[in-house]
Amino acid sequence: MNASAIASFLKEQVRPFHDFSAERLLTLAEGSRVRCFEANEAIMHFGAEASHYGVVLSGAVHASAIGDGGARQALGALEAGGTFNEMALMTGDTVLADFIAGSRCEVLLVPVSLFQSIIVSEPGAVQHISRSIAERMKAILADPTKAAAALQKSDDPYGLRLKGERPEKMLVINCGSSSLKYGFYDTTDEACHAGGQVERIGIDGTRHVHRGPKGAVKQELPRGGFAEAFKAMVAALTAKEAGVIGGAGEVSVVAHRVVHGGERFTEGTLITEEVLAQIEALSPLAPLHNPVNVAGIREMRRLFPAVPHVAVFDTAFHHTLPAYAYLYGLPYELYEKKAVRRYGFHGTSHHYVSLRAAQFLQRRPNELRLVSCHLGNGSSLCAVDHGRSVDTSMGFTPTEGLLMGTRSGDLDPGVVTYLEREEGMTGTQIDELLNKRSGLLGISGISSDMREILKAAEAGQPRALLALKTYCYRVRKYIGAYVASMGGLDAVIFTGGIGQGSAEVRALALQGLDCMGLRLDDPRNREARGFDEVCRISADDSKVTVLVVPADEERMIAREALRAISRSYITRVLEAQKQQPFPVEVSAHHAHLTQEHVEALFGTGHQLTKHSDLSQPGQYACMEQLAIVGPKGRIERVRVLGPARKYSQVEIAMTEQFKLGVHPPIRESGDIADTPGCTVEGTVGSVKMERGVICAFRHIHMTPEDALRYGVRDKSIVRVRVAGDRELVFGDVLIRVDPSFALAMHIDTDEANAANLKTGAQGFIDGIQSEA
């Protein structure tokens, strides 16, 4: 878009610029810059210096913030013609939300100097901007959930406590190919936490370790499958001496770790047969994990058929990666048709430790740039920029990225074709090589266990030392890359078995990063109790904080499951209450007038005279009537509604446009920009209105309490079913929420005639078409 096209767009599409001269708009366009953003790419971050005013030229921009409780809250979406960051620029504050591209979009970034010298100097623009700020604040305060977030401080600002809509006793299940990890949580009693692990399932030497408030219990189990492992788990949880529940019937929720959610699942999800089938359909993307996860879910649903089961996905935290971070350099059709892209894993762990790090640093999660290092038998790094995952080392499968216990990590794909051609290896054989015989084991020839590698390296075995150095080099390289990708760094986090347990690995991984402001304190690093508490191991003068944070994926899975259950609980309540009817009122053509136009039509000093009250508080039909005159005809005896307004407006039915010879748009009341005008005649004079003729968007007036009860928000679009002898479903019904409103749906005479309705009919919300 060149400067002239931008100037025209601003004039025609962006309300604050309607009254600007062509010369001023061209100056504004030439002094600003257009940037293209990909979906999920950050445009502006919460807390940053407010340096630009944003205008959406194409696509969509989403505004959000991480509130108390650690959850990201959507604040709204902007499409072409929308503007953002005006509040921060007007008040001098930092940016008040995260503005993220919701789709591929173009944004005009107007520098603060032009905003102050050109835009703020235009009274009409300031008026529009002030109204926009007021409307956004009103929308927040009209939404009970947003209002609560804005006005209250949580006693759990990072959302790490387990609490839901009601008390829950939760069982968290994490099934591996030959192992079962589990955790039990009582949301009313943190002391009741218990957990355990069954190893070597399906082979000889099966072992079960259970840890609870009364200590640990270890037992050898006969060879068996997952059914036998689950049975041992339930027996341990309900044991008379060491158990935490009286019987399996006390469990109220079961949460399951699922490795791969693809692009479909981006948050914890209640498991239905349809959801389970979709998880199973993703098995080709995670053949070693999803089939086991599905089998575990089926068995647990058989054991606990009466309680909700929730899936929490390893990939979900990474759904915020922008396209340029998740796409491979392959033909785009492979992404479109076969979903070949980077997904990332360990998302639950990375999300949890980023919240714990923010809690330890006493900073908001969306103020920080973090690199999370989950180092264990499987290892990955994640760049967490202002609370969002923006890059991660694992990719299409967990094989990509860092060197791991038995996985190769990053590999030239030419090696695969070379092995096929020169060694005659099959795909299955190469898969086994890369996932089970490579990594630390492959290089050292000794073990996949870092503890064994460290011992061998200390004893002088060169291949063990080489494996250790290669492992740490890969970590160091990715940290540097992620500092570059985020443009800075506040903290590095080490977690996982190796990350928490090995001071030597941490030291080697950070070696040489003083140039990035990373300075380790050696005594703190050696003495860190990484499995017990969050430990700072960086030097006091280090510009970047380095932390060791204990992993707790089971707790994070429980947290996400509780959120899914809470959403479902609220939805079920609202679904039941949506069946409550509301009154439908038929609104004939009418006019709203300014006081200036009242006097021009009915005499100097004239005041509107009440005829009867309307259903909306403070609104009334007036004794005064007028005629509407258009190019082709006129409509007589049109009722004026009071009180007087700031702008005159005429509302007619769609069929009446032909009688008048005007073509009004369908608009929300008050939105008269770029609408046609008409002449109105009163008892003593007439007024030629330049604009203001509309057909009203059918709508429902609600208070915030009504909106919560019906499960909708201000500006939501719903379908409404109206009862009667010609029952009809109206689509595209706008929800209008304000504390001063009374519950009622308004339709015009055309719509009423179509359904043979009169004022007093009943309507029911039949579905939500789109959320505000």
Side-chain angles (χ1 to χ4, degrees), residues 528-596:
R529 299 188 304 277
F531 290 95
D532 301 324
E533 60 186 3
V534 179
C535 302
R536 184 197 302 267
I537 60 172
S538 49
D540 291 337
D541 61 349
S542 178
K543 294 179 181 178
V544 177
T545 303
V546 183
L547 301 175
V548 181
V549 179
D552 198 343
E553 290 178 271
E554 282 76 22
R555 173 175 284 272
M556 196 65 181
I557 291 169
R559 171 193 190 260
E560 294 305 300
L562 275 174
R563 291 177 180 235
I565 290 293
S566 295
R567 288 193 299 269
S568 172
Y569 174 76
I570 293 171
T571 300
R572 289 197 302 270
V573 171
L574 294 174
E575 285 294 336
Q577 293 184 342
K578 281 178 192 175
Q579 300 308 309
Q580 296 182 4
F582 46 81
V584 178
E585 298 175 352
V586 181
S587 180
H589 51 225
H590 59 272
H592 300 280
L593 300 175
T594 64
Q595 182 59 33
E596 178 187 357

Side-chain angles (χ1 to χ4, degrees), residues 1 41 166 213 261 290 293 363 421 521 767:
M1 220 184 251
E41 187 173 359
R166 58 185 184 183
N290 272 36
N293 298 152
R363 300 273 301 278
R421 184 175 65 251
D521 184 291

